[in-house]
Amino acid sequence: MKKCLVILNLLFCSAFLHSQNYFQNVKGKVTDKATGIGLPGVVVKMLNDTSKKINAITDGNGFYKLTKVPIGRRDFVFALMGYKTVPANDIIITSGKEYILDVELEESLVEMAEVEVSAENSKDVIADMQAVNMKAFTLEEIERYPGSRQDPARMAQNFAGVQGTNDSRNDIVVRGNSPAGLLWRMEEVDIPNPNHFAIAGSAGGPQSIINNKYLANSEFFTGAFPSNYGNALGGVFDLKMRNGNNEKHERTIQLGILGTEAAIEGPLSKKSGASYLITYRYSTLALFSAFKIPISFGTSAIPEYQDGGFRFNFPTKNAGVFSFSGIGGLSSIDIELSKVREKPKELYGDQTRDQYFRSNMGVCMLNHTYSFNTRTLMKTTLAFSSQQIFSDHYLILRDANYVPDSITPHILNYNQRENKTTLSWFVKRKVNAANSFKTGFFVNEFNVKYFDRAKINSLYDTLPGDIIAKPWKQRLGNINDYFLIQPYINFSHRFNEKWSANIGLHGQYLTLNNKWAIEPRANLRYQFKDNQTLSLAYGMHSQMQPGYIYYAIPDSLIRDGVITANTERVMDNKNLDFSKSHHVVLGYDLQVSKYFRVKTEAYYQYLWNIPVYAKPSGISLINRGATFTRFFPLYTMENKGTGYNYGLELTLEKLFHKHYFVMYSASIYDSKYTASNGKTYDSDFNGNYMMNLLAGVEYGLGKSKKNSINVSTKFTYGGGKRYSPVNLAASNAIMDVVPDESAINSKQFDPYNRLDFRIAYKINAKKSSWEIAFDLVNVMGTKNVLALSYAPDPANFNADPLIKNYQLGFLPLFYVKVDF
């Protein structure tokens, strides 16, 4: 193996001349943790610096720059008198791009002596333990973890409390909650589902629109989150965009199975520090198809998509900082099974239909940040977002030999558009070292247009003419405007260096139906030893229903228990209230050493106000949001459903150091709901247990160790998906799976398990860096069941029409990336 690595190194490095010591610049901004305002006078040093020359002091705005930093993994330390010293360990420095390293410092409550920073007195500095329910993550983690596919959502599935057992989608199931309970936020604005091929009412998809090329370090919350977040029950993904390099033009080109992409960044004005950053990505599979290169990706249809992102940053001398940012994506797929004469195993669609699907998403944000003084910061954002989803389905009628009829009747047509204009404002004020607060609001104006019509057909409708003659059933047809207004306030108090607390309130008012909610939040933290912390967090949360649910037209109305046909096509669910929950979390954090930590959390969540049918039924909106289909209510709904989630989570993490890292995350949990029939069921997301084990090694190659190879693996094991016995008569009547309501989710597929493997080789030339990576997903080719599908046999209508759809088999991915 060692000889192979040496040969590989020689092959790749022959073009880059001799072994040399290459250097790079490291720069960034150091800010106060409570206010986000730049800190002057911070001492920044690289540890283990034999030259004693790699150091700097931040300027009046908190900016610094270290020059001639040797490439490779380096450790840095940031220190300022009166503030806690912060380390930044194992930072990967490459020759292709300058490294931007931004750091927050927290003011100390005790009087501190003058700070002297050296390699000797900083070698045991430990980073602050993270708050309960929150995981800060870096860009390196997005790329390092096998199977993540450079997707932040799939990366988050490695964390304790997050269930990731669906290969076809990157849904984030947090502690048994629906993935639709996740809030996506970017640059202080709540954004639509940032995924290609998104379905209305969902928060995930097969391919992310987000590109890690423009992300800064970001945060992920798993519940009981602070009061500046709202309209979510499950979790929060708070994404930050970085600024482009304001001194040097840099470029990135990447070719991979999941996308061909380019990124450029650089200064617009070196004098003012203005910069730009632009990325673009196009579906490589679509490119292969255009050039007639055969490739299979779990479906015979070719998913076409493209996305981009941008950020322009304009600092001013006295008027603050202005920025203009945005992301967006277009996606389409045509699944034409009428051309197939053998029964396929389609990942994306119903096998009795031709499906034509389009989805578009975009958001742009204009930000202004202004510091009144060293203790007060204000930020104002005006944003516009739009998401449009439209599709057409055509029914395929086949004879006993599976030959399709030449006529495919049109049976489904929908077009859903949601535009949103948001004004976001907040002010942060640090009163003193012990007290700070943040208060602000979101004003969201929605402009929606919903249209949906369908033809309901049974198994025994076999003549195209009869189906064409059927009337359309209109399920949506409305254009409207409404507001969601969300004020909040959060107060932080540090009693001493051991005890701290956060309390806050979040409010929501929906003008669509004049519903409102007041949500208290609280967090108490006790660091009883330097390396041990106890945390207790509580949050009341509420979330509006998916927009289209309010305007959906049910088949039947229910008044005082009496069911009548909805002949007037009344939108009877417009007055649905917010779904709500109480969430309590107890956490314990142990920093065993500088590079090894243990974290465990126990939680309980009670949900109420969940929409259920106003007649006895097992149907609940608590289960929506994790498939490629939309839920349409057949009856009047009311907010009388309940549910609960409780569990225990454990994380053991050996941070990357001395060539390797290990992370083990495990969860045991229970997730149930009670419907309008008074019965309690397992929720769709109740797998009961989840485990991830990740490990990786990295070694430098060559005499100067300027190149490196990284090998990592991941094993996932979790409870199988829940499913229900099927009501065959009802399924045949609508040609779709209809559960037996007496036993919803009473069955469970075999446990999910998957082994992934990743190998990456990095090359540092004088003015560029290269990375060649192979991500081998499900290397054992394990057949994990995705779901039951309705696929009747045209040769025998009496045969069982249900088949098991399996998830992806072995999926080899690769990419080549060049920074220069």
Side-chain angles (χ1 to χ4, degrees):
M1 179 65 178
K2 187 175 180 180
K3 290 182 179 180
C4 292
L5 295 179
V6 173
I7 294 172
L8 187 62
N9 189 48
L10 291 173
L11 287 173
F12 279 113
C13 295
S14 60
F16 302 119
L17 300 178
H18 309 290
S19 176
Q20 301 180 40
N21 292 321
Y22 296 145
F23 301 93
Q24 187 54 273
N25 298 328
V26 175
K27 60 184 183 179
K29 186 176 184 180
V30 183
T31 56
D32 184 281
K33 186 175 182 179
T35 65
I37 297 173
L39 291 173
V42 179
V43 177
V44 185
K45 296 192 70 172
M46 187 185 84
L47 300 183
N48 302 311
D49 172 25
T50 56
S51 71
K52 307 294 183 182
K53 296 180 179 179
I54 305 176
N55 55 78
I57 296 178
T58 58
D59 64 16
N61 295 314
F63 292 101
Y64 72 92
K65 184 175 182 179
L66 301 175
T67 59
K68 286 195 170 293
V69 177
I71 64 170
R73 287 188 177 268
R74 303 298 170 196
D75 297 335
F76 303 91
V77 67
F78 299 78
L80 177 65
M81 186 169 62
Y83 282 77
K84 295 180 180 179
T85 298
V86 171
N89 300 316
D90 286 287
I91 304 299
I92 301 176
I93 310 302
T94 66
S95 56
K97 297 185 74 171
E98 293 185 335
Y99 194 91
I100 310 299
L101 181 57
D102 296 330
V103 171
E104 295 179 331
L105 298 187
E106 183 178 46
E107 189 172 358
S108 176
L109 292 177
V110 297
E111 190 172 331
M112 301 181 70
E114 184 176 349
V115 174
E116 179 182 354
V117 183
S118 70
E120 289 72 31
N121 66 23
S122 300
K123 65 182 179 179
D124 293 323
V125 175
I126 296 175
D128 276 353
M129 287 171 277
Q130 295 177 358
V132 67
N133 295 320
M134 191 273 283
K135 167 67 176 177
F137 63 91
T138 65
L139 299 184
E140 184 196 356
E141 289 177 290
I142 297 176
E143 295 191 344
R144 180 203 304 166
Y145 294 157
S148 295
R149 311 183 202 177
Q150 295 187 307
D151 178 356
R154 285 189 164 91
M155 179 275 299
Q157 293 175 351
N158 295 298
F159 299 153
V162 182
Q163 180 183 348
T165 57
N166 188 337
D167 298 340
S168 66
R169 297 172 57 90
N170 62 5
D171 292 307
I172 300 177
V173 177
V174 179
R175 294 175 171 170
N177 285 281
S178 163
L182 180 78
L183 173 70
W184 286 100
R185 177 169 290 183
M186 176 172 280
E187 291 298 305
E188 302 296 336
V189 172
D190 300 346
I191 64 174
N193 182 348
N195 287 282
H196 291 293
F197 311 104
I199 297 296
S202 70
Q207 173 65 35
S208 180
I209 289 174
I210 296 166
N211 192 320
N212 61 352
K213 306 289 186 299
Y214 52 66
L215 287 183
N217 293 347
S218 303
E219 297 175 339
F220 177 66
F221 294 86
T222 55
F225 29 84
S227 60
N228 55 308
Y229 302 103
N231 199 27
L233 294 179
V236 175
F237 225 128
D238 192 351
L239 301 170
K240 314 293 185 184
M241 296 186 79
R242 67 179 182 88
N243 295 322
N245 195 322
N246 61 5
E247 295 181 324
K248 178 184 176 183
H249 294 282
E250 296 177 327
R251 297 153 294 276
T252 297
I253 296 175
Q254 180 171 312
L255 172 65
I257 290 292
L258 296 180
T260 299
E261 55 190 280
I264 56 174
E265 61 181 288
L268 293 171
S269 168
K270 291 185 179 180
K271 182 179 180 180
S272 68
S275 64
Y276 70 90
L277 170 62
I278 302 172
T279 69
Y280 176 76
R281 174 170 53 192
Y282 190 79
S283 166
T284 302
L285 299 177
L287 289 175
F288 285 171
S289 176
F291 288 100
K292 309 300 182 184
I293 301 174
I295 188 168
S296 175
F297 196 68
T299 173
S300 58
I302 301 298
E304 298 186 15
Y305 52 86
Q306 56 185 312
D307 53 65
F310 66 88
R311 182 171 176 84
F312 297 92
N313 193 61
F314 303 96
T316 67
K317 193 170 184 179
N318 298 311
V321 179
F322 294 86
S323 64
F324 182 51
S325 313
I327 66 170
L330 309 174
S331 52
S332 65
I333 187 168
D334 296 340
I335 304 175
E336 297 179 314
L337 298 180
S338 59
K339 298 178 180 179
V340 178
R341 301 193 173 240
E342 292 183 4
K343 186 176 287 188
K345 293 184 178 179
E346 269 297 337
L347 175 63
Y348 289 107
D350 191 320
Q351 299 178 37
T352 61
R353 303 183 182 195
D354 284 343
Q355 300 182 51
Y356 302 89
F357 183 84
R358 307 287 184 270
S359 69
N360 307 323
M361 173 269 178
V363 57
C364 56
M365 301 157 283
L366 179 63
N367 298 290
H368 175 233
T369 305
Y370 183 79
S371 301
F372 291 96
N373 48 51
T374 60
R375 292 184 176 272
T376 309
L377 178 139
M378 178 181 73
K379 186 171 183 179
T380 306
T381 303
L382 181 64
F384 176 79
S385 65
S386 181
Q387 186 165 51
Q388 187 171 20
I389 304 169
F390 44 103
S391 184
D392 287 282
H393 292 197
Y394 296 83
L395 185 64
I396 305 170
L397 300 168
R398 300 181 184 272
D399 62 19
N401 296 317
Y402 211 71
V403 176
D405 195 292
S406 59
I407 300 175
T408 53
H410 196 188
I411 60 170
L412 177 64
N413 169 229
Y414 68 84
N415 188 334
Q416 298 186 206
R417 188 207 67 206
E418 295 183 353
N419 294 339
K420 183 176 69 167
T421 302
T422 299
L423 175 63
S424 167
W425 176 89
F426 71 77
V427 61
K428 292 197 290 189
R429 167 75 176 172
K430 184 168 73 170
V431 180
N432 50 43
N435 299 286
S436 62
F437 69 86
K438 178 179 181 180
T439 185
F441 60 79
F442 300 92
V443 177
N444 305 283
E445 181 190 24
F446 291 84
N447 173 263
V448 299
K449 178 182 179 181
Y450 298 124
F451 175 80
D452 180 283
R453 61 177 186 170
K455 291 185 178 182
I456 308 302
N457 307 284
S458 78
L459 175 65
Y460 306 103
D461 291 323
T462 58
L463 298 177
D466 291 346
I467 296 172
I468 292 172
K470 282 189 174 187
W472 287 96
K473 170 186 170 183
Q474 186 165 335
R475 301 185 293 187
L476 286 169
N478 194 274
I479 300 175
N480 212 336
D481 294 273
Y482 57 89
F483 285 85
L484 177 65
I485 302 170
Q486 301 168 275
Y488 64 87
I489 186 169
N490 188 78
F491 177 73
S492 299
H493 177 69
R494 298 164 62 201
F495 300 94
N496 49 48
E497 290 292 344
K498 292 185 177 182
W499 287 93
S500 62
N502 289 275
I503 59 173
L505 284 175
H506 184 97
Q508 298 202 104
Y509 175 64
L510 183 63
T511 63
L512 171 67
N513 51 21
N514 295 320
K515 301 297 184 181
W516 58 274
I518 300 294
E519 308 163 15
R521 316 281 175 83
N523 182 301
L524 182 65
R525 189 169 184 263
Y526 175 42
Q527 187 167 346
F528 58 95
K529 291 187 177 180
D530 288 343
N531 67 334
Q532 296 184 64
T533 300
L534 281 173
S535 300
L536 179 65
Y538 163 77
M540 176 180 169
H541 307 288
S542 61
Q543 183 177 21
M544 61 181 288
Q545 311 309 326
Y548 80 94
I549 290 292
Y550 294 105
Y551 299 98
I553 302 171
D555 292 347
S556 302
L557 306 178
I558 302 177
R559 300 288 186 271
D560 298 324
V562 179
I563 302 175
T564 59
N566 188 6
T567 55
E568 300 296 324
R569 310 309 290 160
V570 176
M571 295 179 294
D572 207 36
N573 295 310
K574 206 169 180 179
N575 286 318
L576 285 173
D577 201 349
F578 295 97
S579 295
K580 299 180 180 182
S581 78
H582 293 296
H583 199 157
V584 181
V585 186
L586 176 65
Y588 170 71
D589 203 332
L590 169 65
Q591 194 83 33
V592 179
S593 66
K594 183 177 179 181
Y595 294 99
F596 182 70
R597 61 190 178 201
V598 179
K599 187 172 185 176
T600 183
E601 293 183 358
Y603 66 89
Y604 179 82
Q605 182 183 23
Y606 175 74
L607 301 101
W608 81 100
N609 256 31
I610 309 300
V612 294
Y613 284 152
K615 75 177 195 69
S617 168
I619 302 299
S620 171
L621 234 59
I622 205 170
N623 290 320
R624 64 173 174 84
T627 67
F628 288 103
T629 60
R630 300 163 299 152
F631 170 81
F632 274 94
L634 300 177
Y635 301 93
T636 300
M637 303 195 82
E638 56 186 5
N639 295 96
K640 292 188 176 181
T642 62
Y644 65 82
N645 303 305
Y646 66 86
L648 182 66
E649 301 162 1
L650 172 67
T651 301
L652 308 175
E653 185 173 14
K654 193 279 180 183
L655 303 176
F656 192 97
H657 185 61
K658 291 187 177 180
H659 305 294
Y660 77 99
F661 78 92
V662 178
M663 185 175 80
Y664 174 78
S665 64
S667 310
I668 53 174
Y669 62 98
D670 197 28
S671 175
K672 286 184 167 58
Y673 74 96
T674 301
S676 59
N677 58 9
K679 296 183 178 180
T680 299
Y681 304 93
D682 290 294
S683 79
D684 282 10
F685 316 106
N686 193 17
N688 293 128
Y689 57 92
M690 191 73 209
M691 181 272 287
N692 293 287
L693 177 62
L694 300 93
V697 297
E698 179 183 296
Y699 284 94
L701 300 176
K703 186 177 180 180
S704 64
K705 307 295 184 183
K706 64 185 179 67
N707 304 326
S708 64
I709 189 166
N710 180 296
V711 179
S712 54
T713 187
K714 168 190 169 183
F715 178 67
T716 299
Y717 189 83
K721 288 183 172 295
R722 294 281 174 177
Y723 71 103
S724 311
V726 175
N727 184 329
L728 283 179
S731 299
N732 289 336
I734 66 169
M735 295 191 70
D736 201 356
V737 174
V738 177
D740 178 354
E741 290 196 18
S742 67
I744 291 178
N745 289 334
S746 59
K747 295 189 175 184
Q748 190 172 19
F749 292 125
D750 291 337
Y752 175 95
N753 68 93
R754 196 181 84 197
L755 179 66
D756 300 333
F757 185 79
R758 185 178 188 272
I759 181 169
Y761 186 71
K762 296 181 179 179
I763 304 165
N764 283 290
K766 187 173 183 179
K767 293 185 178 180
S768 65
S769 58
W770 298 60
E771 182 179 6
I772 300 96
F774 293 89
D775 207 352
L776 308 178
V777 181
N778 195 6
V779 292
M780 303 301 292
T782 305
K783 294 184 68 175
N784 294 300
V785 180
L786 177 64
L788 287 180
S789 179
Y790 184 83
D793 185 352
N796 182 9
F797 284 173
N798 294 320
D800 187 353
L802 302 175
I803 63 169
K804 288 182 179 179
N805 281 349
Y806 290 92
Q807 307 206 47
L808 292 175
F810 173 54
L811 178 64
L813 303 173
F814 82 92
Y815 68 82
V816 179
K817 181 175 70 172
V818 185
D819 294 320
F820 59 100

